Amino acid sequence: DEAIAYYQKALEFKPGYAEACNNLGNAMLQKGEVDEAIAQYRKAMEINPGYADAHNNLGAVLLQRGRVDEAIAHYQKALEINPGFAEACYNLGRAFQQKGQAGEAIANYQKALEIKPGLALALNNLAYLRAVCPQPSLRNGAQAVELAQQADRAAGGGNPMMLGTLAAAYAETGRFTGAVETAQRALDLANSQ
């Protein structure tokens, strides 16, 4: 792969180049070489412990592997380094959501949206939790509809996942006809894609 060869060559010339290690990790991950990607992210952090992107990227791989607590630690480190890192806030929210800590997830999605208001995935996940959270005190159907509509617009419209969240939000507010129609649109779109 061209990208892999490029970053490997860059590391031959400059072995202590943290960004090249991080980017090589990304290229390895795209190629499905997860263990090598992890090794490259760790190497980038050894070279530069204050490299927020490497912490965030490693967190994403660890979360994907089900190592939620380790992922949380890396997202938190990324945010300690760069408090304005919206994607790390979003990812931390995902990790807490996966762990079943809806309140923490909501707080992190909201923080991500304060930093980057149009972040479609944060809008969507926050809308989803506001619509279906098992804790009634955390649900807010009207806000879920508004957030889900924003997420759908931010994603360019026609995203089956966003429409599925909007359908759940409509159901939470008792708009069952809208929920059924939107869920059907989401299903049709998913099938066509």
Side-chain angles (χ1 to χ4, degrees):
D1 183 61
E2 264 183 55
I4 291 172
Y6 174 80
Y7 293 119
Q8 286 173 332
K9 194 65 141 171
L11 287 167
E12 283 177 29
F13 289 112
K14 190 174 178 187
Y17 190 22
E19 190 173 328
C21 291
N22 183 65
N23 292 341
L24 180 56
N26 291 339
M28 294 290 194
L29 190 61
Q30 286 179 347
K31 199 173 171 188
E33 296 180 22
V34 179
D35 291 332
E36 184 59 32
I38 289 171
Q40 290 300 322
Y41 296 141
R42 290 192 189 282
K43 186 174 176 187
M45 290 181 302
E46 284 172 23
I47 295 166
N48 179 3
Y51 194 8
D53 284 345
H55 282 283
N56 185 58
N57 290 338
L58 180 57
V61 175
L62 294 170
L63 185 63
Q64 193 175 40
R65 286 229 163 144
R67 294 161 60 180
V68 181
D69 290 330
E70 288 177 76
I72 287 171
H74 283 285
Y75 294 140
Q76 288 172 331
K77 183 66 177 175
L79 288 166
E80 181 185 308
I81 295 163
N82 178 4
F85 196 167
E87 288 76 10
C89 287
Y90 163 74
N91 286 333
L92 184 56
R94 281 183 39 230
F96 280 121
Q97 186 173 351
Q98 192 168 321
K99 197 171 177 175
Q101 295 179 345
E104 289 290 329
I106 287 170
N108 280 283
Y109 293 143
Q110 288 173 328
K111 185 177 176 189
L113 291 167
E114 286 170 19
I115 297 166
K116 194 172 185 179
L119 192 56
L121 292 171
L123 286 164
N124 183 72
N125 288 15
L126 181 56
Y128 182 80
L129 283 173
R130 290 295 194 195
V132 304
C133 185
Q135 296 168 260
S137 64
L138 296 177
R139 283 198 309 267
N140 181 329
Q143 185 186 53
V145 169
E146 183 182 322
L147 290 164
Q149 289 171 336
Q150 288 176 32
D152 186 47
R153 283 192 302 273
N159 180 308
M161 180 178 70
M162 308 288 175
L163 290 173
T165 298
L166 182 57
Y170 282 149
E172 174 61 20
T173 59
R175 295 164 61 182
F176 298 112
T177 302
V180 170
E181 289 171 359
T182 305
Q184 187 59 54
R185 266 189 21 232
L187 182 61
D188 292 344
L189 272 168
N191 286 333
S192 71
Q193 293 176 3

